[in-house]
Amino acid sequence: MSLLTNVMDHSLDDGYAEAAARKQTEGEGGLPRTVRAKLGLAAGLVLAGLVVTVGAAQARVAAPTVAKERQELIDRIQSETAAADKLEGTVDTLRDDVSARQRSALERDGGSDAADLVGVLSGAVAVHGPGVKLVVNDAKEATSGGNGDPRETSDFSDTGRVRDRDMQRVVNGLWESGAEAISINGQRLTALSAVRAAGDAILVDNRPLVPPYTVLAVGDGDRLSTRFQNSADGLYLHALQENYGIRTGISVEGDVRLPAATSVIVRTAQPTTEKGTS
């Protein structure tokens, strides 16, 4: 019991202090006492200082090189960006020229009205007029689907995040309800457009879009809005809003503007007659 009391009353620091004092008395502690030891310590300190000095010098020498390489990379990025912008401007100019030539050819063959109609239906020209504006956005709690219940059936799969199939139904419902032209986030849709997914992103003609998704449709605004909201696709969208927190809003607009579709080539067919063989 006395041993336990001694251990509790006296820490090991006393033992350490006694050992240090003993080593110092015997000449084993403190600074080196011999000349050789002192020289060794001095040599070690000099070597350590030399290493630090050389490292600092190398870093100072390499710093301008690194900064120069970084600036060269920045200049190259800026140059390539400017070149890409210039090429994009050239593409826009050529696209306008092609559209003008197409309209001219159609006017010669079928009249101005036919040219305008083909341009609108193909998406080759920008259009504007009355229509509707439909905004579709993810649920506030996109990972849980609004009310916390994931969409697990074949029609409602995954979460409160808007999916490509949701936008497909929206677009198809607007076409069926009488829309004459449609765009999503500024991307004009044509007969060849595809609404697909890549991970969580929605792609329109291979271009990624981010929510909220603003859908503009040209047509008879009041009639288009009513017919869409009463259609199966409109009710589908309403179900997403009510059950899974997806946010939607539709409004009738007096004038909506849609850009021309990119890389659209309008082709027309000419009737041919073959002479029969006798």
Side-chain angles (χ1 to χ4, degrees):
M1 194 67 176
S2 60
L3 178 60
L4 181 60
T5 302
N6 185 45
V7 171
M8 296 295 293
D9 292 340
H10 300 283
S11 67
L12 294 179
D13 293 341
D14 295 338
Y16 290 145
E18 292 177 2
R22 185 172 59 252
K23 288 183 178 180
Q24 186 173 6
T25 302
E26 296 174 356
E28 298 179 2
L31 296 175
R33 296 181 179 275
T34 64
V35 176
R36 172 178 288 183
K38 292 180 178 179
L39 291 176
L41 178 60
L45 294 175
V46 170
L47 181 61
L50 182 61
V51 170
V52 173
T53 303
V54 171
Q58 289 180 345
R60 179 175 297 179
V61 171
T65 303
V66 174
K68 182 179 179 181
E69 293 178 351
R70 180 175 180 275
Q71 187 60 44
E72 289 178 351
L73 181 59
I74 293 174
D75 293 340
R76 183 177 177 183
I77 292 174
Q78 292 176 345
S79 176
E80 295 297 333
T81 302
D85 293 340
K86 184 177 179 180
L87 290 175
E88 186 175 355
T90 302
V91 169
D92 292 338
T93 301
L94 293 175
R95 182 181 297 117
D96 293 339
D97 182 62
V98 170
S99 297
R101 292 175 182 271
Q102 289 175 344
R103 290 176 60 85
S104 177
L106 290 171
E107 288 174 359
R108 289 196 306 268
D109 295 336
S112 177
D113 293 339
D116 292 338
L117 179 60
V118 171
V120 170
L121 295 179
S122 65
V125 297
V127 297
H128 71 94
V132 297
K133 176 181 178 181
L134 174 62
V135 180
V136 184
N137 199 1
D138 294 339
K140 291 184 178 179
E141 298 294 337
T143 57
S144 62
N147 64 352
D149 297 327
R151 296 185 276 165
E152 297 178 344
T153 67
S154 59
D155 290 332
F156 299 97
S157 59
D158 300 322
T159 63
R161 196 179 297 276
V162 179
R163 300 297 183 180
D164 57 325
R165 56 185 169 274
D166 303 329
M167 297 308 300
Q168 289 171 1
R169 294 202 59 166
V170 168
V171 170
N172 290 335
L174 288 172
W175 285 127
E176 187 177 357
S177 299
E180 300 173 7
I182 299 175
S183 70
I184 304 177
N185 285 16
Q187 280 290 112
R188 179 74 173 275
L189 302 184
T190 70
L192 302 178
S193 295
V195 181
R196 298 177 180 175
D200 288 335
I202 295 179
L203 307 181
V204 175
D205 292 336
N206 294 324
R207 294 194 176 187
L209 306 179
V210 295
Y213 306 102
T214 301
V215 183
L216 298 178
V218 174
D220 186 339
D222 294 326
R223 183 181 180 188
L224 180 58
S225 175
T226 301
R227 291 186 62 179
F228 172 76
Q229 294 184 71
N230 293 332
S231 67
D233 298 311
L235 295 176
Y236 170 89
L237 189 61
H238 182 70
L240 295 184
Q241 180 181 11
E242 290 294 322
N243 299 319
Y244 304 100
I246 287 180
R247 292 166 286 175
T248 66
I250 187 170
S251 61
V252 177
E253 303 291 330
D255 185 53
V256 293
R257 296 182 177 273
L258 280 60
T262 58
S263 302
V264 173
I265 299 176
V266 179
R267 297 182 175 90
T268 57
Q270 298 291 338
T272 60
T273 57
E274 295 183 359
K275 296 181 178 179
T277 58
S278 57

